[in-house]
Amino acid sequence: MKPKTYPSKRTRSQHTYAFYKERRDDPAWREDYLRVRAIRQRALIIEVMLGILVIAIGVFIVKESQKQSTNNHIVDSTSSSQATTQSSSSSKSHVSTSTASSIKQSTTITNYSRYNKYSGKYIGYANSYTLDFKKGTLVAGDSSQAQVYYFKQVILHPDGSLVINVHNSVSKSSPNYLSVLLAPANKKITKNWQTETSLDDNTDDSTNRLSLATSNDNGKTYNMSPAYKAFSENSTSGSSSSSSYSTIFATTN
């Protein structure tokens, strides 16, 4: 590399610092030597300061990089921990939901009109009944002397069947209290929900079906067994061992 040169005020020519240093004791070159030395000292100071600045910037960048890396590690660890916690919570929630969905219970219905699609005329071998979920009524028969029963309680069971307890305070020839066991179309009754025993529903599930039960204690309890038996045996006509209530009444397609 070619040595740096400096102009001489005395001769106006360029010379190296070594040239001036060799003549530092010569009065003719003394002034040029001191001037060039001062220039070199200033340049050295500037170079040292720039070097220190570069080193300081480098150290700052390294520290910031390490700090950022540490923060990222903490964030990653926190995210991983949160993800694990969320996964655990999700699993627990899923288990709880699955458990809750598998433990179905019978529900009391207060908004009857929601089940208005089950309203209609149900025809049996001897007579017929008309359900009206909007009005909350069960009408027995078609004549002018038809008996009107009013909904007291509607219970929805897990298999989709409904139990509708009704009351008529006027009739003297018919029971004042009846319980309607209704199976919607495309649904099978799977259990006698009064005795908690399993049941095979052998009725035609292409239509809505119902059977009736009576009460011997003014509606406090109902003997549902004959109604469930009607579904099990698909009783569509009366017999000596069953009343016309415990037979199947169905809507027409």
Side-chain angles (χ1 to χ4, degrees), residues 187-217:
K187 291 184 183 294
K188 290 281 191 179
I189 295 178
T190 61
K191 182 187 290 188
N192 180 331
W193 295 98
Q194 188 176 57
T195 61
E196 294 292 328
T197 56
S198 60
L199 180 143
D200 291 327
D201 184 349
N202 292 302
T203 58
D204 179 7
D205 64 354
S206 63
T207 62
N208 301 326
R209 299 92 66 207
L210 67 79
S211 186
L212 300 166
T214 58
S215 173
N216 296 322
D217 54 6

Short mmCIF file of all heavy atoms in Angstrom, two decimals, residues 187-217:
data_model
loop_
_atom_site.label_atom_id
_atom_site.label_comp_id
_atom_site.label_asym_id
_atom_site.label_seq_id
_atom_site.Cartn_x
_atom_site.Cartn_y
_atom_site.Cartn_z
N LYS A 187 -89.47 -41.80 15.22
CA LYS A 187 -88.86 -42.00 16.54
C LYS A 187 -89.48 -43.22 17.20
O LYS A 187 -90.68 -43.46 17.08
CB LYS A 187 -89.04 -40.77 17.43
CG LYS A 187 -88.25 -39.55 16.98
CD LYS A 187 -88.39 -38.41 17.97
CE LYS A 187 -87.65 -37.17 17.49
NZ LYS A 187 -86.19 -37.38 17.46
N LYS A 188 -88.64 -43.97 17.89
CA LYS A 188 -89.09 -45.16 18.61
C LYS A 188 -88.94 -44.92 20.11
O LYS A 188 -87.95 -44.34 20.57
CB LYS A 188 -88.24 -46.37 18.21
CG LYS A 188 -88.46 -46.87 16.78
CD LYS A 188 -89.73 -47.70 16.68
CE LYS A 188 -89.82 -48.41 15.33
NZ LYS A 188 -91.05 -49.24 15.22
N ILE A 189 -89.92 -45.39 20.87
CA ILE A 189 -89.81 -45.34 22.32
C ILE A 189 -88.85 -46.45 22.75
O ILE A 189 -89.00 -47.61 22.36
CB ILE A 189 -91.18 -45.52 22.99
CG1 ILE A 189 -92.10 -44.35 22.63
CG2 ILE A 189 -91.04 -45.63 24.51
CD1 ILE A 189 -93.50 -44.45 23.20
N THR A 190 -87.85 -46.09 23.52
CA THR A 190 -86.80 -47.05 23.89
C THR A 190 -86.90 -47.52 25.33
O THR A 190 -86.21 -48.47 25.71
CB THR A 190 -85.42 -46.41 23.68
OG1 THR A 190 -85.30 -45.25 24.53
CG2 THR A 190 -85.22 -46.01 22.23
N LYS A 191 -87.74 -46.85 26.13
CA LYS A 191 -87.78 -47.20 27.54
C LYS A 191 -89.13 -46.82 28.15
O LYS A 191 -89.76 -45.85 27.73
CB LYS A 191 -86.66 -46.46 28.29
CG LYS A 191 -86.55 -46.79 29.77
CD LYS A 191 -85.52 -45.90 30.46
CE LYS A 191 -84.11 -46.25 30.04
NZ LYS A 191 -83.10 -45.51 30.85
N ASN A 192 -89.55 -47.63 29.11
CA ASN A 192 -90.68 -47.23 29.95
C ASN A 192 -90.09 -46.27 30.98
O ASN A 192 -89.43 -46.69 31.94
CB ASN A 192 -91.30 -48.46 30.64
CG ASN A 192 -92.48 -48.09 31.53
OD1 ASN A 192 -92.54 -47.00 32.08
ND2 ASN A 192 -93.40 -49.03 31.70
N TRP A 193 -90.31 -44.99 30.77
CA TRP A 193 -89.64 -43.99 31.60
C TRP A 193 -90.23 -43.89 33.00
O TRP A 193 -89.66 -43.22 33.86
CB TRP A 193 -89.70 -42.63 30.90
CG TRP A 193 -88.91 -42.64 29.63
CD1 TRP A 193 -89.38 -42.81 28.37
CD2 TRP A 193 -87.49 -42.54 29.51
NE1 TRP A 193 -88.36 -42.82 27.46
CE2 TRP A 193 -87.18 -42.66 28.13
CE3 TRP A 193 -86.45 -42.38 30.42
CZ2 TRP A 193 -85.87 -42.60 27.65
CZ3 TRP A 193 -85.15 -42.32 29.94
CH2 TRP A 193 -84.87 -42.43 28.58
N GLN A 194 -91.33 -44.58 33.23
CA GLN A 194 -91.89 -44.61 34.58
C GLN A 194 -91.20 -45.67 35.44
O GLN A 194 -90.93 -45.46 36.62
CB GLN A 194 -93.40 -44.88 34.54
CG GLN A 194 -94.10 -44.74 35.89
CD GLN A 194 -95.61 -44.91 35.77
OE1 GLN A 194 -96.08 -45.94 35.29
NE2 GLN A 194 -96.35 -43.90 36.19
N THR A 195 -90.88 -46.80 34.80
CA THR A 195 -90.24 -47.90 35.54
C THR A 195 -88.76 -48.02 35.21
O THR A 195 -88.07 -48.85 35.81
CB THR A 195 -90.94 -49.23 35.20
OG1 THR A 195 -90.81 -49.49 33.79
CG2 THR A 195 -92.41 -49.18 35.59
N GLU A 196 -88.27 -47.22 34.24
CA GLU A 196 -86.86 -47.25 33.83
C GLU A 196 -86.45 -48.61 33.26
O GLU A 196 -85.31 -49.03 33.40
CB GLU A 196 -85.95 -46.89 35.02
CG GLU A 196 -86.10 -45.46 35.52
CD GLU A 196 -85.61 -44.44 34.50
OE1 GLU A 196 -84.66 -44.75 33.75
OE2 GLU A 196 -86.18 -43.34 34.44
N THR A 197 -87.38 -49.29 32.61
CA THR A 197 -87.06 -50.56 31.96
C THR A 197 -87.05 -50.38 30.45
O THR A 197 -87.83 -49.60 29.90
CB THR A 197 -88.09 -51.65 32.34
OG1 THR A 197 -89.41 -51.19 32.01
CG2 THR A 197 -88.03 -51.96 33.83
N SER A 198 -86.16 -51.10 29.78
CA SER A 198 -86.05 -50.97 28.33
C SER A 198 -87.30 -51.51 27.64
O SER A 198 -88.02 -52.35 28.20
CB SER A 198 -84.81 -51.70 27.82
OG SER A 198 -84.88 -53.07 28.16
N LEU A 199 -87.53 -51.03 26.42
CA LEU A 199 -88.76 -51.39 25.71
C LEU A 199 -88.48 -51.47 24.22
O LEU A 199 -87.74 -50.64 23.67
CB LEU A 199 -89.84 -50.35 26.01
CG LEU A 199 -91.22 -50.54 25.37
CD1 LEU A 199 -92.31 -50.12 26.35
CD2 LEU A 199 -91.34 -49.69 24.09
N ASP A 200 -89.07 -52.45 23.56
CA ASP A 200 -88.99 -52.57 22.10
C ASP A 200 -90.28 -52.01 21.50
O ASP A 200 -91.36 -52.56 21.71
CB ASP A 200 -88.82 -54.03 21.68
CG ASP A 200 -87.45 -54.58 22.06
OD1 ASP A 200 -86.48 -53.79 22.05
OD2 ASP A 200 -87.35 -55.77 22.38
N ASP A 201 -90.14 -50.91 20.78
CA ASP A 201 -91.30 -50.27 20.16
C ASP A 201 -91.55 -50.95 18.81
O ASP A 201 -90.75 -50.83 17.88
CB ASP A 201 -91.00 -48.78 19.97
CG ASP A 201 -92.19 -48.01 19.41
OD1 ASP A 201 -93.16 -48.64 18.96
OD2 ASP A 201 -92.14 -46.76 19.43
N ASN A 202 -92.66 -51.65 18.69
CA ASN A 202 -92.99 -52.39 17.47
C ASN A 202 -94.05 -51.70 16.63
O ASN A 202 -94.62 -52.31 15.72
CB ASN A 202 -93.45 -53.81 17.83
CG ASN A 202 -92.33 -54.64 18.42
OD1 ASN A 202 -91.30 -54.84 17.78
ND2 ASN A 202 -92.51 -55.13 19.64
N THR A 203 -94.32 -50.44 16.91
CA THR A 203 -95.31 -49.71 16.13
C THR A 203 -94.70 -49.18 14.84
O THR A 203 -93.48 -49.12 14.68
CB THR A 203 -95.88 -48.54 16.94
OG1 THR A 203 -94.80 -47.66 17.31
CG2 THR A 203 -96.58 -49.03 18.19
N ASP A 204 -95.57 -48.79 13.91
CA ASP A 204 -95.14 -48.22 12.64
C ASP A 204 -94.74 -46.76 12.88
O ASP A 204 -95.58 -45.91 13.17
CB ASP A 204 -96.29 -48.30 11.63
CG ASP A 204 -95.93 -47.69 10.28
OD1 ASP A 204 -94.75 -47.33 10.09
OD2 ASP A 204 -96.83 -47.56 9.43
N ASP A 205 -93.44 -46.48 12.77
CA ASP A 205 -92.97 -45.13 13.11
C ASP A 205 -93.01 -44.16 11.93
O ASP A 205 -92.38 -43.11 11.96
CB ASP A 205 -91.55 -45.18 13.69
CG ASP A 205 -90.53 -45.68 12.68
OD1 ASP A 205 -90.93 -46.10 11.57
OD2 ASP A 205 -89.33 -45.67 13.00
N SER A 206 -93.76 -44.51 10.88
CA SER A 206 -93.88 -43.59 9.75
C SER A 206 -94.85 -42.45 10.06
O SER A 206 -94.92 -41.47 9.32
CB SER A 206 -94.34 -44.34 8.50
OG SER A 206 -95.63 -44.90 8.69
N THR A 207 -95.61 -42.58 11.15
CA THR A 207 -96.56 -41.54 11.56
C THR A 207 -96.40 -41.25 13.05
O THR A 207 -95.75 -42.00 13.78
CB THR A 207 -98.01 -41.97 11.29
OG1 THR A 207 -98.30 -43.13 12.08
CG2 THR A 207 -98.24 -42.31 9.83
N ASN A 208 -97.04 -40.18 13.49
CA ASN A 208 -97.12 -39.90 14.92
C ASN A 208 -98.09 -40.89 15.55
O ASN A 208 -99.15 -41.18 15.00
CB ASN A 208 -97.61 -38.47 15.18
CG ASN A 208 -96.70 -37.43 14.54
OD1 ASN A 208 -95.49 -37.61 14.47
ND2 ASN A 208 -97.29 -36.33 14.09
N ARG A 209 -97.74 -41.42 16.74
CA ARG A 209 -98.61 -42.39 17.42
C ARG A 209 -98.79 -41.98 18.87
O ARG A 209 -97.91 -41.35 19.46
CB ARG A 209 -98.00 -43.80 17.41
CG ARG A 209 -97.77 -44.40 16.05
CD ARG A 209 -96.37 -44.12 15.53
NE ARG A 209 -95.34 -44.77 16.33
CZ ARG A 209 -94.10 -44.31 16.46
NH1 ARG A 209 -93.73 -43.20 15.87
NH2 ARG A 209 -93.22 -44.98 17.19
N LEU A 210 -99.92 -42.40 19.43
CA LEU A 210 -100.12 -42.17 20.86
C LEU A 210 -100.94 -43.29 21.47
O LEU A 210 -101.66 -44.02 20.79
CB LEU A 210 -100.77 -40.80 21.11
CG LEU A 210 -102.22 -40.54 20.65
CD1 LEU A 210 -103.26 -41.14 21.59
CD2 LEU A 210 -102.45 -39.04 20.54
N SER A 211 -100.79 -43.40 22.77
CA SER A 211 -101.62 -44.29 23.57
C SER A 211 -101.92 -43.55 24.86
O SER A 211 -101.27 -42.54 25.18
CB SER A 211 -100.89 -45.60 23.86
OG SER A 211 -101.76 -46.51 24.51
N LEU A 212 -102.91 -44.03 25.61
CA LEU A 212 -103.38 -43.30 26.77
C LEU A 212 -103.25 -44.11 28.05
O LEU A 212 -103.29 -45.34 28.03
CB LEU A 212 -104.84 -42.89 26.58
CG LEU A 212 -105.12 -41.98 25.37
CD1 LEU A 212 -106.61 -41.93 25.10
CD2 LEU A 212 -104.58 -40.58 25.62
N ALA A 213 -103.09 -43.39 29.15
CA ALA A 213 -103.05 -44.00 30.47
C ALA A 213 -104.01 -43.24 31.38
O ALA A 213 -104.31 -42.06 31.15
CB ALA A 213 -101.64 -43.96 31.04
N THR A 214 -104.51 -43.92 32.38
CA THR A 214 -105.47 -43.30 33.30
C THR A 214 -104.86 -43.15 34.70
O THR A 214 -103.80 -43.70 34.99
CB THR A 214 -106.74 -44.16 33.39
OG1 THR A 214 -106.39 -45.48 33.82
CG2 THR A 214 -107.44 -44.23 32.04
N SER A 215 -105.57 -42.39 35.53
CA SER A 215 -105.12 -42.15 36.91
C SER A 215 -106.23 -42.56 37.87
O SER A 215 -107.41 -42.30 37.62
CB SER A 215 -104.78 -40.67 37.10
OG SER A 215 -104.50 -40.40 38.46
N ASN A 216 -105.83 -43.17 38.97
CA ASN A 216 -106.79 -43.58 40.00
C ASN A 216 -106.77 -42.67 41.22
O ASN A 216 -107.47 -42.94 42.20
CB ASN A 216 -106.51 -45.03 40.43
CG ASN A 216 -106.71 -46.02 39.30
OD1 ASN A 216 -107.62 -45.86 38.48
ND2 ASN A 216 -105.86 -47.04 39.24
N ASP A 217 -105.94 -41.63 41.17
CA ASP A 217 -105.83 -40.75 42.34
C ASP A 217 -105.91 -39.28 41.94
O ASP A 217 -105.15 -38.44 42.42
CB ASP A 217 -104.55 -41.03 43.11
CG ASP A 217 -103.30 -40.95 42.23
OD1 ASP A 217 -103.43 -40.55 41.04
OD2 ASP A 217 -102.21 -41.28 42.72
#
